[in-house]
Amino acid sequence: MEVSGLETLRFSLLGPLRAWRGPDELALGSPQQRAVLAMLLVSRGRAIGVADLVDGVWGARPPRGAVAVVRTYISRLRKLFEPERTPGRPSGLLVSIGDGYALRTDSISSDLADFEEAVTRAERRRVAGDGAGAVQLLRTVPATGNGAALAGVPGPYAESARTDLAERQLGALELRLVLELELDRHEAAVPELLALRNAHPLREAVVELLLTALYQCGRQAEALDVYASTRRVLVDELGIEPGPSLRAVHARILAGDPALARLTFHGPAGDARALHGSEAVPSPDPDGPSPGRRAKAVNPAQIPADHALFIGRRMEFDYLATLLPEGNGPPGAAVIAVIDGMAGTGKTTLAVHWAHRIAHRFPDGSLYVNLRGYDPHGSRMLPGSAIEMFLVALGVGPQAVPQGLDAQAALYRSILADRRVLLVLDNARDAEQVGPLLPGTPGSLVIVTSRNRLGGLVVGHGARPLAPGLLSAEESYELLSRRLGGVRVDAEPQAVAAITELCARLPLTLAIVAARAAHHPGFKLADDRDAPKVHPASALPPRLRPQIITCSRATGSPADRSGRVTPADREK
């Protein structure tokens, strides 16, 4: 892309910091000016405050007038990058944001951006089963042997960034070598692994790969020598024994384990992990799932325990039954059921009970998360946190979860692509909180509960809404009878009727009152004079009292069938 009619600027960070406009290299100024530029480039479009720029260049002891010096560097960089910009015209490249600055990433290119894009695409190809394509992409990224990233740039920020970028480059190399071994290219990988191990003798993940490659090449004795020398280094320099994963590979080599034939990479770029035998990594089945599913599948079962005293909801279950095809198979398309209504109507209990009834139709497992959309302390769960929990439950190592919601959602959808799962997303605040958690392919079922009508899911994703009604008088009576015993309830029918109306036939409030009564079996249900009171609204949690008072007027419960208060009631 061009900025202000100029040719695209290109930067190199994975080595000495350099810049070009077209074929011409630019002089980037003093080391401290290059340090400011490096911070802006590594931040990838995020604004950095002037105080942070000062700290990143000079640390805890900046020179006098450091803020003015930084602003001078910014002015010089703007003139360097946009020489034809007229005085007084705002920069279109190095922009001011608040008390800081940001470098527009859509107007430049860099080897760091190319590196990140290549690694991301390689991960996607690997998940899709295209290991050879992933290797080809990773061969294009700069290796750590090309020199330290941001070489010659001073300051604590650059030093930290150098360490981080070196780790990411090393991780990309490890990922490529893992894929080489998965493709049975052991002979070709051994020289690179030997060099990598010599450069990083304390990196156990590299030693694991080298041991496996040597073993698969028939060089068992050499593999044992490598392990022995690595152990000596760890003991002599760090005073520790090799970790359990490396020790396990060593033991399998000693035993001549023929299953040490394949391995699976569980970490992100930068974290090679345990080596698994052929039992965990079966050979591709032409009639089975996608070859991208290399690791042994994990079938989670996260649905909370069903309520043993669940009653009623016949109308609701009749409706929910229409959402699934007849028989015991999964749906042929993605199905989203949204159960909404005010607090206390039993949305979660209904969702969990239905989930238990149909879980057998989803053999790849069931997932559950409480999104805490209405948490009084404001700790609503972010979609990325929920996806990370689901990924770990589906067998992805915690270190393998990528950074950023888009990357996490992409991996999540890829894993679910050939699975049939049941998901319960409880207490959702809005459609935006739910959208990233939806599978991208048909065959799964999503049950969402919310106090709000999630119109975005209905309009944008074809979700099927259901608003549970209040319990009938008969169902309310049955609920109290099951919890308190038929003898006690039958003995006081008028008190039971009064409790039912005071609780507005809401399942949660009836359950709370029943629990209070069950703790005091000697009290009569009609007795509201002796403590503890078992049926007035004062016995209920504060968040439910306004609803009960509103819904239990003397003229009868004005709530409509969905459990919501009617407009006419609001006018009273």
Side-chain angles (χ1 to χ4, degrees):
M1 181 182 294
E2 296 186 358
V3 178
S4 302
L6 299 178
E7 294 181 86
T8 300
L9 291 170
R10 178 163 181 81
F11 295 89
S12 173
L13 293 82
L14 302 180
L17 180 59
R18 304 171 68 184
W20 294 266
R21 181 186 298 111
D24 302 322
E25 185 167 359
L26 304 178
L28 297 178
S30 68
Q32 288 75 24
Q33 182 169 303
R34 287 186 286 120
V36 170
L37 174 60
M39 293 180 68
L40 295 169
L41 287 168
V42 173
S43 295
R44 300 296 304 277
R46 295 188 300 274
I48 305 180
V50 173
D52 292 329
L53 289 170
V54 170
D55 291 342
V57 175
W58 290 286
R61 304 185 67 179
R64 180 174 299 179
V67 170
V69 172
V70 166
R71 297 194 187 280
T72 299
Y73 292 154
I74 296 294
S75 177
R76 290 176 181 173
L77 290 171
R78 283 172 169 169
K79 291 179 182 178
L80 177 65
F81 297 151
E82 301 174 89
E84 297 182 3
R85 182 171 58 91
T86 57
R89 179 183 175 187
S91 173
L93 178 64
L94 212 171
V95 298
S96 299
I97 301 178
D99 186 34
Y101 305 95
L103 195 59
R104 285 182 50 190
T105 56
D106 59 346
S107 303
I108 63 175
S109 63
S110 70
D111 57 354
L112 176 58
D114 294 344
F115 168 82
E116 292 174 339
E117 174 66 17
V119 172
T120 299
R121 291 172 59 196
E123 285 279 14
R124 290 174 181 169
R125 290 197 178 187
R126 177 181 173 274
V127 169
D130 183 13
V135 167
Q136 185 176 1
L137 277 170
L138 291 171
R139 286 189 178 277
T140 66
V141 303
T144 54
N146 295 346
L150 301 176
V153 178
Y157 183 94
E159 185 61 33
S160 176
R162 250 190 303 277
T163 302
D164 175 66
L165 293 173
E167 179 67 21
R168 290 162 66 183
Q169 288 178 276
L170 182 57
L173 176 56
E174 289 177 351
L175 174 57
R176 179 175 64 78
L177 290 169
V178 168
L179 294 171
E180 299 273 19
L181 296 187
E182 287 185 347
L183 295 170
D184 296 326
R185 300 174 183 173
H186 304 94
E187 293 282 358
V190 166
E192 282 189 273
L193 284 168
L194 284 169
L196 191 59
R197 178 256 187 176
N198 292 335
H200 304 276
L202 301 178
R203 197 173 181 94
E204 293 187 41
V206 172
V207 178
E208 288 183 34
L209 297 178
L210 177 56
L211 293 182
T212 302
L214 289 170
Y215 179 75
Q216 292 306 314
C217 292
R219 298 159 66 174
Q220 182 176 355
E222 291 180 62
L224 295 175
D225 284 343
V226 169
Y227 177 84
S229 63
T230 299
R231 180 182 177 277
R232 284 195 299 270
V233 171
L234 291 171
V235 172
D236 293 344
E237 297 193 15
L238 302 179
I240 61 173
E241 292 286 340
S245 182
L246 182 56
R247 293 200 307 270
V249 175
H250 174 243
R252 295 173 69 178
I253 292 175
L254 285 173
D257 186 356
L260 191 61
R262 300 292 300 276
L263 72 165
T264 299
F265 178 81
H266 286 290
D271 190 14
R273 287 301 188 220
L275 310 180
H276 295 279
S278 56
E279 178 181 328
V281 190
S283 299
D285 180 357
D287 298 321
S290 163
R293 290 179 60 184
R294 291 183 175 273
K296 184 177 181 179
V298 176
N299 296 336
Q302 296 187 337
I303 305 301
D306 197 7
H307 204 295
L309 301 178
F310 186 90
I311 58 97
R313 299 305 189 191
R314 297 175 184 86
M315 292 178 58
E316 286 80 358
F317 284 127
D318 288 344
Y319 172 77
L320 293 171
T322 66
L323 304 185
L324 297 175
E326 295 183 2
N328 291 324
V335 175
I336 306 169
V338 178
I339 303 175
D340 64 82
M342 69 179 186
T345 54
K347 301 181 297 296
T348 297
T349 303
L350 173 60
V352 168
H353 188 72
W354 187 44
H356 278 282
R357 289 174 60 167
I358 61 175
H360 65 281
R361 303 178 66 167
F362 299 90
D364 292 316
S366 55
L367 299 167
Y368 171 89
V369 64
N370 182 0
L371 296 174
R372 304 194 302 270
Y374 306 92
D375 190 287
H377 304 293
S379 59
R380 177 171 54 174
M381 179 173 288
L382 297 176
S385 299
I387 291 177
E388 184 172 357
M389 291 171 55
F390 284 166
L391 288 174
V392 173
L394 291 165
V396 178
Q399 299 297 328
V401 178
Q403 297 294 319
L405 178 60
D406 290 342
Q408 291 169 345
L411 177 58
Y412 169 68
R413 289 191 296 269
S414 297
I415 291 176
L416 293 184
D418 55 355
R419 296 192 184 191
R420 301 295 178 261
V421 297
L422 170 61
L423 299 97
V424 178
L425 311 179
D426 200 12
N427 289 315
R429 183 79 181 189
D430 47 41
E432 288 71 23
Q433 192 181 20
V434 171
L437 308 180
L438 300 178
T441 52
S444 295
L445 170 65
V446 182
I447 307 173
V448 184
T449 73
S450 177
R451 296 184 195 175
N452 296 328
R453 291 180 174 176
L454 305 185
L457 292 182
V458 177
V459 175
H461 298 276
R464 305 289 294 275
L466 170 65
L470 303 175
L471 295 178
S472 65
E474 293 76 12
E475 290 172 336
S476 301
Y477 191 96
E478 183 181 354
L479 184 151
L480 293 174
S481 180
R482 288 196 181 188
R483 291 174 179 268
L484 300 176
V487 175
R488 187 177 183 187
V489 171
D490 291 342
E492 299 185 73
Q494 292 182 341
V496 170
I499 290 174
T500 297
E501 291 308 310
L502 281 169
C503 292
R505 291 185 277 123
L506 289 171
L508 179 58
T509 54
L510 285 167
I512 293 172
V513 169
R516 296 289 297 269
H519 278 292
H520 300 276
F523 286 105
K524 291 185 177 182
L525 299 179
D527 188 355
D528 62 355
R529 292 166 298 181
D530 297 317
K533 296 180 173 66
V534 297
H535 63 264
S538 60
L540 304 175
R543 67 185 178 87
L544 293 177
R545 292 174 192 167
Q547 301 175 65
I548 302 309
I549 294 171
T550 302
C551 292
S552 57
R553 301 185 183 275
T555 56
S557 174
D560 64 11
R561 178 63 178 140
S562 68
R564 300 186 183 87
V565 178
T566 63
D569 180 70
R570 295 192 183 97
E571 296 173 359
K572 293 183 180 180

